[in-house]
Amino acid sequence: MRDQLFVIIRNLFEIGILAALFYLLLRLLRGTRGLVMLSSIFMLFALLQTATFILDLSVLSWILQKMLYFMPFIVLIIFQNEIRRILTVISIQYLRMQHWQKRGQMLENPLVKILCDICDNLSQNSTGALIAIEQKISLNSHAETGKIINAPLLPDNSLVETIFYSGTPLHDGGIVIRKDSIYAAGCVFPLCEKEDFRSAHGMRHQAAVGLSEQTDAIVIVVSEETGAISIAFNGHLRTMGNIDQFHQQLKVLLPPEPALAPRIASWSPMQWLGALAIKKNKTVTDDSKE
Ligand SMILES: Nc1ncnc2c1ncn2[C@@H]1O[C@H](COP(=O)(O)OP(=O)(O)OP(=O)(O)O)[C@@H](O)[C@H]1O
């Protein structure tokens, strides 16, 4: 009797874990193109299986059996973006933990005040802007889609406003801030992959969220339409109620002092995993940027 009870509890436990895993997986993949493709493949597969069973098509049945062996590879290929994103999130969480451990000893990042002044002006003039602040993960591949300008980000902030001034050659696209300089302008960022977000937001906001999904960049958007300032981070977009809220949020997100910020001196397995996930972005230590 006790043994039977134990087996029932064990089975319920197993079912619970599997259900939770399945639910988490579906939530992660909800709205992605991969899930639509996989569902179509499964439906086609089920249809063919039924046909082979009813019509007794032995060759087709044999081929379908063999194709099952390739299923894991097909799933890997279809979900390569999602897998990359999951591994990126793991690596970002790890890097953030490192960052928070050392945060106590540092000063406020001077970028916070500069960016607040810039975005306040852009917002008041309703000048649309997209500003990606590079963190640990290199934005080289995204910067290269635009023009490398490598100009210092000065407190008088006129250059950023000039770049985003409608009609100038580089006003389309985003800029990449690396340390205390404007590294590139006119860059094309990847668009967000979540269908529900895409249908509710314009391209500039989609590009901000898209980049923040694939990297640990902090991406600021100023809306041309409303002047609202939003921050995309870790795949989430948050619109600020006012400039003070923006200031507070930036202070929380930006490493206090870039020069003292922890560097990836040696590769740990977790960083290696993250680097694999974002190999498109060429995850590097800061050394290659200097
Ligand atoms: N992939 C991209 N990467 C970077 N910038 C982009 C990208 N796609 C569009 N943009 C920028 O977004 C601008 C168009 O923004 P759109 O009006 O569609 O977006 P929005 O999110 O509604 O922003 P806004 O509130 O400012 O109107 C383009 O002129 C271009 O500068």
Side-chain angles (χ1 to χ4, degrees):
M1 181 67 190
R2 266 185 64 186
D3 281 356
Q4 267 184 339
L5 195 69
F6 175 73
V7 171
I8 290 172
I9 292 174
R10 199 184 57 188
N11 288 347
L12 283 177
F13 184 66
E14 197 170 7
I15 291 169
I17 289 180
L18 282 172
L21 280 176
F22 200 64
Y23 171 74
L24 275 177
L25 202 68
L26 275 181
R27 269 196 63 159
L28 269 173
L29 302 177
R30 193 181 53 183
T32 61
R33 268 169 280 179
L35 192 62
V36 178
M37 277 175 71
L38 196 67
S39 322
S40 315
I41 291 178
F42 269 120
M43 271 168 62
L44 185 70
F45 202 80
L47 255 165
L48 288 174
Q49 274 288 14
T50 318
T52 53
F53 180 71
I54 294 170
L55 303 173
D56 198 19
L57 308 172
S58 58
V59 178
L60 190 60
S61 165
W62 182 82
I63 291 173
L64 287 177
Q65 296 278 325
K66 296 291 164 202
M67 273 177 68
L68 272 182
Y69 294 121
F70 294 102
M71 241 346 170
F73 298 105
I74 294 173
V75 170
L76 271 181
I77 291 167
I78 291 177
F79 288 109
Q80 53 176 302
N81 281 342
E82 284 73 23
I83 293 169
R84 192 187 306 132
R85 199 161 67 224
I86 291 167
L87 292 179
T88 304
V89 168
I90 294 171
S91 108
I92 288 172
Q93 295 306 340
Y94 178 75
L95 293 170
R96 284 181 80 195
M97 265 166 50
Q98 277 194 331
H99 161 66
W100 285 108
Q101 278 166 6
K102 302 203 177 177
R103 190 177 161 84
Q105 320 139 13
M106 300 176 187
L107 300 168
E108 182 179 308
N109 191 320
L111 267 186
V112 172
K113 165 115 186 52
I114 298 176
L115 286 169
C116 264
D117 290 348
I118 291 175
C119 293
D120 197 17
N121 272 349
L122 290 168
S123 159
Q124 286 183 29
N125 300 331
S126 286
T127 306
L130 184 59
I131 302 169
I133 309 159
E134 186 180 59
Q135 300 291 292
K136 295 280 185 307
I137 295 169
S138 169
L139 297 183
N140 273 348
S141 59
H142 305 290
E144 281 158 13
T145 59
K147 201 154 188 67
I148 307 295
I149 51 179
N150 224 349
L153 185 65
L154 300 171
D156 84 350
N157 67 49
S158 51
L159 183 54
V160 177
E161 284 171 46
T162 310
I163 289 173
F164 287 117
Y165 190 75
S166 173
T168 57
L170 295 176
H171 86 280
D172 256 341
I175 64 171
V176 171
I177 305 279
R178 175 172 288 171
K179 291 190 176 168
D180 50 5
S181 61
I182 306 166
Y183 181 63
C187 309
V188 177
F189 298 152
L191 296 180
C192 168
E193 294 208 343
K194 293 177 201 137
E195 291 296 341
D196 47 350
F197 188 90
R198 286 171 80 124
S199 51
H201 295 84
M203 301 283 275
R204 207 189 309 270
H205 291 80
Q206 286 180 38
V209 173
L211 185 67
S212 80
E213 278 174 344
Q214 295 191 14
T215 70
D216 62 345
I218 297 157
V219 193
I220 303 168
V221 203
V222 181
S223 166
E224 192 172 17
E225 243 170 74
T226 62
I229 305 173
S230 309
I231 300 181
F233 184 63
N234 220 352
H236 298 285
L237 185 81
R238 198 164 158 204
T239 301
M240 303 294 125
N242 54 43
I243 196 70
D244 291 334
Q245 193 187 357
F246 176 59
H247 184 249
Q248 290 308 321
Q249 196 68 52
L250 262 193
K251 250 171 56 175
V252 173
L253 288 173
L254 275 174
E257 183 66 70
L260 297 177
R263 286 157 159 247
I264 305 171
S266 57
W267 291 86
S268 69
M270 199 57 110
Q271 286 156 352
W272 183 80
L273 203 66
L276 257 186
I278 43 183
K279 66 177 189 305
K280 228 175 98 196
N281 302 313
K282 295 186 207 125
T283 310
V284 289
T285 66
D286 276 0
D287 301 347
S288 63
K289 298 175 211 159
E290 285 159 4

